[in-house]
Amino acid sequence: MEHRADPIARMVAQLSRLPGVGRKTAQRLAYYIASQPEEDVRELAAAIWQGRQAIRMCSRCGNYTAEDPCPLCADPRRQRDVLCVVRDPRDVAAIERMREYRGGYHVLHGTISPMEGVGPEDIRIRELLARVGAEEISEVILATNPDIEGEATAAYIARVLKPLGVRVTRLAHGMPVGGDLEYVDENTLHKAFEGRREM
């Protein structure tokens, strides 16, 4: 007879794969889910599954969206000649919470990290260069995190954009070094945007 894994252990194993969820938190979540009415658990599972099926990448900026182009790219009130380059869609959400930036976005879906085998060709830098050439962009704001990978990515992008004659700026370091955009409060982020500098 085939041995089947304990259902709680299987839930813990899957939940602990989520970012920021350690084994103890995964265990607490698994026991909580097990204690809930089946209908509530079914709704949770359906929301996760249906959400994942509905979400796709905007063909223009690379942000996650349910429609293409995303609402930010489709908004005619946004400034079309300024692009803010970020690591991932969470960073777009963080900047949008500030309610001050009115330009467009370009989501890289990663940063250059030689230690992890991620080079410029593995993230959306080609697409950025194509947009700058096709969309008459006057400024590119580099808003990658102020960590080693983010700084390396920003320096690389600045180097390849300079010959195109576009203004390249970097967010000021009002943000903590080693911090992530998604955790920065709106006021600090606003100050970082105000103090951005040429690269």
Side-chain angles (χ1 to χ4, degrees), residues 141-144 146 151 169-176 181 188-197:
I141 303 167
L142 299 173
T144 53
E151 291 294 335
T169 59
R170 179 88 168 114
L171 289 188
H173 288 290
M175 303 184 320
L181 281 173
T188 302
L189 198 52
H190 179 67
K191 291 295 182 195
F193 262 85
E194 284 182 339
R196 67 185 186 266
R197 65 188 196 286

Coordinates of all heavy atoms in Angstrom, one line a residue, residues 141-144 146 151 169-176 181 188-197:
I141 N 13.9 57.3 -14.7 CA 14.2 57.4 -13.3 C 14.5 55.9 -12.8 O 13.7 55.0 -13.0 CB 13.0 57.9 -12.5 CG1 12.6 59.3 -13.0 CG2 13.3 57.9 -11.0 CD1 11.3 59.7 -12.5
L142 N 15.7 55.7 -12.3 CA 16.1 54.4 -11.9 C 15.8 54.2 -10.4 O 16.3 54.9 -9.5 CB 17.6 54.2 -12.1 CG 18.1 54.3 -13.6 CD1 19.6 54.2 -13.7 CD2 17.4 53.2 -14.4
A143 N 14.8 53.4 -10.1 CA 14.3 53.2 -8.8 C 14.5 51.8 -8.3 O 13.6 51.3 -7.6 CB 12.8 53.6 -8.8
T144 N 15.6 51.2 -8.6 CA 15.9 49.9 -8.1 C 16.4 50.1 -6.6 O 16.8 51.2 -6.2 CB 17.0 49.2 -8.9 OG1 18.1 50.1 -9.0 CG2 16.5 48.8 -10.3
P146 N 18.4 50.2 -3.2 CA 19.8 50.6 -2.9 C 20.6 49.5 -2.3 O 21.3 49.7 -1.3 CB 19.6 51.8 -2.0 CG 18.3 51.5 -1.2 CD 17.5 50.8 -2.2
E151 N 22.0 48.6 -7.2 CA 23.0 49.6 -7.7 C 23.7 49.1 -9.0 O 24.0 49.9 -9.9 CB 24.1 49.9 -6.6 CG 23.5 50.6 -5.4 CD 23.0 52.0 -5.7 OE1 23.5 52.6 -6.6 OE2 22.2 52.5 -4.9
T169 N 18.2 59.5 -14.2 CA 18.3 60.0 -12.8 C 18.1 58.7 -11.9 O 17.6 57.7 -12.3 CB 17.2 61.0 -12.5 OG1 15.9 60.5 -12.7 CG2 17.4 62.3 -13.3
R170 N 18.6 58.9 -10.7 CA 18.5 57.8 -9.7 C 17.8 58.4 -8.5 O 18.1 59.6 -8.1 CB 19.9 57.4 -9.3 CG 20.0 56.3 -8.3 CD 20.0 55.0 -8.9 NE 20.3 53.9 -8.0 CZ 19.4 53.0 -7.6 NH1 18.2 53.0 -8.0 NH2 19.8 52.0 -6.7
L171 N 16.9 57.6 -7.9 CA 16.3 58.1 -6.6 C 17.4 58.5 -5.6 O 18.4 57.8 -5.5 CB 15.4 57.0 -6.0 CG 14.1 56.7 -6.8 CD1 13.3 55.8 -5.9 CD2 13.3 57.9 -7.1
A172 N 17.1 59.5 -4.9 CA 18.0 59.9 -3.8 C 18.0 58.8 -2.7 O 17.0 58.1 -2.6 CB 17.6 61.3 -3.2
H173 N 19.0 58.8 -1.9 CA 19.1 57.8 -0.9 C 18.4 58.2 0.4 O 19.0 58.2 1.5 CB 20.5 57.3 -0.7 CG 21.0 56.5 -1.8 ND1 20.6 55.2 -2.1 CD2 21.9 56.8 -2.8 CE1 21.1 54.7 -3.1 NE2 22.0 55.7 -3.6
G174 N 17.2 58.7 0.3 CA 16.4 59.0 1.5 C 15.9 57.6 2.0 O 15.4 57.5 3.1
M175 N 16.0 56.6 1.1 CA 15.6 55.3 1.5 C 16.8 54.6 2.2 O 18.0 54.9 1.9 CB 15.2 54.5 0.3 CG 14.1 55.1 -0.5 SD 13.6 54.2 -2.0 CE 15.0 53.5 -2.6
P176 N 16.5 53.7 3.2 CA 17.6 53.0 3.8 C 18.4 52.1 2.9 O 17.8 51.4 2.1 CB 17.0 52.2 5.0 CG 15.6 52.1 4.5 CD 15.2 53.3 3.7
L181 N 11.7 48.9 -1.6 CA 10.7 49.9 -1.8 C 9.4 49.6 -1.2 O 8.7 50.5 -0.7 CB 10.5 50.1 -3.3 CG 11.6 50.9 -4.1 CD1 11.3 50.8 -5.6 CD2 11.6 52.3 -3.6
T188 N 9.0 59.2 3.0 CA 10.4 58.9 2.6 C 10.6 58.7 1.1 O 11.5 59.2 0.5 CB 10.9 57.7 3.4 OG1 10.7 57.9 4.8 CG2 12.4 57.4 3.1
L189 N 9.6 58.0 0.5 CA 9.7 57.7 -0.9 C 9.5 59.0 -1.7 O 10.2 59.3 -2.7 CB 8.6 56.7 -1.3 CG 8.7 56.0 -2.6 CD1 10.0 55.4 -2.8 CD2 7.6 55.0 -2.7
H190 N 8.6 59.9 -1.2 CA 8.4 61.2 -1.8 C 9.7 62.0 -1.8 O 10.1 62.6 -2.8 CB 7.3 62.0 -1.2 CG 7.0 63.3 -1.7 ND1 6.5 63.5 -3.0 CD2 7.2 64.6 -1.2 CE1 6.4 64.8 -3.3 NE2 6.8 65.5 -2.2
K191 N 10.4 62.0 -0.7 CA 11.7 62.8 -0.6 C 12.7 62.2 -1.5 O 13.5 62.9 -2.1 CB 12.2 62.7 0.9 CG 11.4 63.6 1.8 CD 11.4 65.0 1.4 CE 10.6 65.9 2.4 NZ 10.4 67.2 1.9
A192 N 12.7 60.8 -1.6 CA 13.7 60.2 -2.5 C 13.5 60.6 -3.9 O 14.4 60.8 -4.7 CB 13.6 58.7 -2.3
F193 N 12.2 60.7 -4.3 CA 11.9 61.1 -5.7 C 12.3 62.6 -5.9 O 12.9 62.9 -6.9 CB 10.4 61.0 -6.0 CG 10.0 59.8 -6.7 CD1 9.8 58.6 -6.0 CD2 9.9 59.7 -8.1 CE1 9.5 57.4 -6.7 CE2 9.6 58.6 -8.8 CZ 9.4 57.4 -8.1
E194 N 12.1 63.4 -4.9 CA 12.5 64.8 -5.1 C 14.0 65.0 -5.2 O 14.5 65.9 -5.9 CB 12.0 65.6 -3.8 CG 10.5 65.9 -3.9 CD 10.1 66.8 -2.7 OE1 10.8 66.8 -1.6 OE2 9.0 67.4 -2.8
G195 N 14.8 64.2 -4.5 CA 16.2 64.3 -4.5 C 16.9 63.4 -5.5 O 18.1 63.2 -5.3
R196 N 16.2 62.9 -6.5 CA 16.9 62.0 -7.5 C 18.0 62.8 -8.2 O 17.9 64.0 -8.3 CB 15.9 61.4 -8.4 CG 15.2 62.4 -9.3 CD 14.1 61.6 -10.2 NE 13.5 62.4 -11.2 CZ 12.4 63.1 -11.0 NH1 11.8 63.1 -9.8 NH2 11.9 63.8 -12.0
R197 N 19.0 62.1 -8.7 CA 20.1 62.7 -9.3 C 20.5 62.1 -10.6 O 20.1 61.0 -10.9 CB 21.3 62.6 -8.3 CG 21.8 61.2 -8.1 CD 22.9 61.1 -7.0 NE 23.6 59.8 -7.1 CZ 23.1 58.7 -6.7 NH1 21.9 58.6 -6.2 NH2 23.8 57.6 -6.7

